[in-house]
Amino acid sequence: MTPIAYLAASVISSLAGGLNFELENPTEVTDATNIELCRVAGGTFSGQSLWDPYFYLRLPKEGVDVSELHFLTARIYSSAEADVLDVYYKDPDGHWGLGATLPIKRGWATYRADLRQAQWHEGSGPAGLQWGGPNKRIISLRLDPGNQEDRWIIVDSVQLTAEPTGPVGVEVEPRGTASQPRLRAPRQVRAGEHVSVNFECVATPPPGLAQGTVLLRLLKGRTPVQAHMQTVDLSRGRIALQHSFLVSQYSFGGNYVVDAQILELDAERWAQSPVTVKNPMVGKVKPAQAKVAGYRGEPALYINGKPVPLITYLHYGGEAGKLHKEAASAGLKIYTDWFGASTAGNLGQVAPGVYDYGYFDSYFETVLEAVPDAYFLPHIGVVAPAWWQRTHPEELCLYSDGSRGPSSLFSRRWKEEMAADLKRLIQHLREAPYADRILGYIFYAGYTAEWQMWATWQDASDDFSEPAVVAFREW
């Protein structure tokens, strides 16, 4: 476990009659979605958030009786504030609910919520809008640690108990300060070489906190490609450590950054060091030739002229690369994973006029390092990204109850701008060192990512937006 200096986060295994997740075993977390570099190690679950991150906690197959387990306690770190900690459950009869509890604070904090008082804003009808559903037995439990992207998240422990473990609310832990941070790394390396990092600073921890966690990251654009967390002794005052990142041989190259920070401390400015990665294979790899043609009287996939069984693996949650390698051991080496969330896409334009393909490069690098003979048929989400939806609310779908959803499927502006972004993204992928591994693309949008209207399975109907009205009149 990470160091716990406060009674609010005391060891939960001593509590009887509750549900206890100490996160010592990777199997405790399942289906971690929209969380990059996620892993369970050292008693924590950690990773970098995309939009709408969430993860499931493994329950017994028979489920759990929560008729007396009303109180949630979770110790969570977030590098920035976010909207709210949501809790999702599902029961054996198909009832489900999603309830908002407490706002996510910056830094380490312990969150205690009475789930009977949560704001159950989504669910399977009135019966689902309550903790545990009508029969109070759950077979699925999920936490959503705030919707906002670009945050480093760590979950130290989670528990459900019959009695509160302390005052209901958010208890934010004190923070210390850091000064004189220094970070040294090579200015330039080639793909396949190491980036050796030296970090040091002067630490002034808050009273009672002796240990902290250093987070080192290698980023391409704003996407963390690799991360390393290490526990350090803050009481010594001066912190110094070394680490080495191995740059993937499949790296697209370009401008990278190494950054470092101590999660429990604040600094006027944390240290960063730019690194340029060179890869002579960029633009020189011929894309794969894929087609469907007859084979013994049946249609079959041909890759570069050879028939290949089209049996694919879709990665959903958990550690990318590691699970792909497990699938490969069973003969599954064609991967059809998802890029973007169901309600907010990512085609590389991360802000108006700002393009960053690190999200894509990191995925292909990670999987190919684990399975060098892998092929890809990726799902590419063409729903407008979250920043675009915030910028153009008039282009969002309009429900019959007056609320707004994601980008309207009838928005002409969305079609034109996303088409330009998609063309630019595919050009990037065709120049990548891994271009010969991509067989094609599957594009998705709409409810359940299947091109359905956004309100297909909801009480309110759509789409009554101006773009939809214009499109209907033209039709």
Side-chain angles (χ1 to χ4, degrees):
M1 301 283 286
T2 54
I4 300 177
Y6 306 97
L7 181 61
S10 60
V11 177
I12 59 180
S13 58
S14 61
L15 297 174
L19 195 59
N20 192 18
F21 301 93
E22 294 186 351
L23 304 179
E24 297 285 354
N25 190 322
T27 63
E28 290 183 81
V29 174
T30 69
D31 297 340
T33 301
N34 296 330
I35 302 176
E36 297 292 291
L37 302 180
C38 64
R39 67 172 191 156
V40 178
T44 64
F45 166 69
S46 61
Q48 180 88 6
S49 71
L50 302 176
W51 181 260
D52 187 23
Y54 57 85
F55 62 96
Y56 288 82
L57 294 163
R58 187 180 299 279
L59 299 180
K61 290 183 179 180
E62 66 275 13
V64 175
D65 182 354
V66 296
S67 57
E68 300 295 331
L69 304 181
H70 307 305
F71 294 95
L72 170 77
T73 301
R75 184 173 185 256
I76 299 174
Y77 171 85
S78 175
S79 61
E81 291 187 350
D83 47 13
V84 69
L85 174 64
D86 271 329
V87 177
Y88 168 93
Y89 81 87
K90 185 177 181 180
D91 73 11
D93 297 327
H95 297 106
W96 63 272
L98 181 67
T101 62
L102 300 161
I104 295 291
K105 300 297 185 179
R106 176 174 173 267
W108 280 107
T110 298
Y111 300 82
R112 300 187 187 89
D114 183 343
L115 297 180
R116 295 169 298 184
Q117 305 302 319
Q119 297 178 7
W120 296 97
H121 51 92
E122 292 184 36
S124 54
L129 298 178
Q130 57 180 308
W131 168 234
N135 61 24
K136 306 305 178 187
R137 175 169 290 274
I138 65 173
I139 58 172
S140 185
L141 177 64
R142 188 184 92 194
L143 295 187
D144 301 18
N147 282 308
Q148 282 64 29
E149 63 269 67
D150 296 331
R151 293 177 294 127
W152 190 258
I153 297 169
I154 306 176
V155 182
D156 181 63
S157 60
V158 179
Q159 59 186 307
L160 289 174
T161 56
E163 299 294 334
T165 60
V168 172
V170 183
E171 185 173 343
V172 180
E173 298 178 10
R175 300 179 58 81
T177 59
S179 59
Q180 303 175 40
R182 296 179 58 190
L183 185 65
R184 296 190 301 275
R187 291 291 182 180
Q188 181 174 306
V189 299
R190 290 173 64 91
E193 295 181 346
H194 285 85
V195 176
S196 298
V197 180
N198 291 272
F199 169 68
E200 60 183 47
C201 75
V202 175
T204 305
L209 183 63
Q211 291 184 308
T213 303
V214 173
L215 172 64
L216 299 174
R217 299 185 301 172
L218 177 66
L219 300 99
K220 175 71 178 295
R222 66 179 189 179
T223 301
V225 177
Q226 298 181 51
H228 171 72
M229 292 196 305
Q230 183 171 326
T231 300
V232 294
D233 184 355
L234 299 178
S235 64
R236 299 181 62 180
R238 180 166 290 278
I239 305 300
L241 59 85
Q242 297 177 331
H243 183 69
S244 181
F245 293 111
L246 176 60
V247 178
S248 171
Q249 61 183 310
Y250 303 100
S251 168
F252 198 99
N255 298 323
Y256 285 68
V257 170
V258 178
D259 69 5
Q261 59 181 295
I262 299 178
L263 302 184
E264 294 78 9
L265 308 181
D266 292 321
E268 186 173 332
R269 172 181 288 182
W270 285 109
Q272 292 185 335
S273 182
V275 179
T276 300
V277 175
K278 300 290 186 179
N279 192 336
M281 299 304 295
V282 172
K284 298 181 180 179
V285 176
K286 186 178 180 180
Q289 298 298 310
K291 67 176 183 178
V292 175
Y295 179 78
R296 297 181 179 178
E298 301 290 343
L301 170 68
Y302 283 77
I303 302 177
N304 299 326
K306 296 181 180 181
V308 176
L310 184 54
I311 303 175
T312 66
Y313 168 71
L314 172 61
H315 173 69
Y316 186 77
E319 297 183 52
K322 177 182 177 181
L323 295 182
H324 291 86
K325 190 172 184 178
E326 292 180 8
S329 67
L332 300 178
K333 297 184 179 181
I334 300 179
Y335 305 124
T336 181
D337 300 324
W338 297 70
F339 288 91
S342 60
T343 59
N346 179 359
L347 297 176
Q349 187 175 184
V350 297
V354 179
Y355 292 87
D356 179 358
Y357 300 110
Y359 172 51
F360 295 87
D361 292 334
S362 176
Y363 163 81
F364 290 108
E365 294 169 17
T366 299
V367 176
L368 285 168
E369 287 291 345
V371 187
D373 55 347
Y375 284 99
F376 303 93
L377 188 59
H379 286 77
I380 305 294
V382 296
V383 182
W387 67 263
W388 192 96
Q389 295 185 40
R390 291 191 294 266
T391 305
H392 304 292
E394 73 283 355
E395 302 293 332
L396 305 183
C397 84
L398 178 63
Y399 297 119
S400 56
D401 62 4
S403 62
R404 292 278 185 175
S407 50
S408 171
L409 298 176
F410 302 98
S411 168
R412 184 172 296 169
R413 181 168 192 160
W414 163 69
K415 293 177 182 179
E416 293 174 352
E417 295 188 16
M418 294 309 105
D421 285 351
L422 182 60
K423 182 178 180 180
R424 185 167 179 160
L425 168 64
I426 292 177
Q427 181 63 37
H428 172 87
L429 297 177
R430 289 179 65 85
E431 295 179 356
Y434 49 78
D436 59 336
R437 296 294 167 177
I438 300 178
L439 304 178
Y441 307 93
I442 302 171
F443 305 115
Y444 73 86
Y447 201 87
T448 66
E450 295 170 312
W451 294 97
Q452 301 183 84
M453 297 288 284
W454 287 113
T456 297
W457 301 104
Q458 298 177 195
D459 292 334
S461 58
D462 73 327
D463 179 0
F464 299 92
S465 65
E466 184 61 25
V469 172
V470 170
F472 179 76
R473 287 173 176 167
E474 290 178 351
W475 175 76

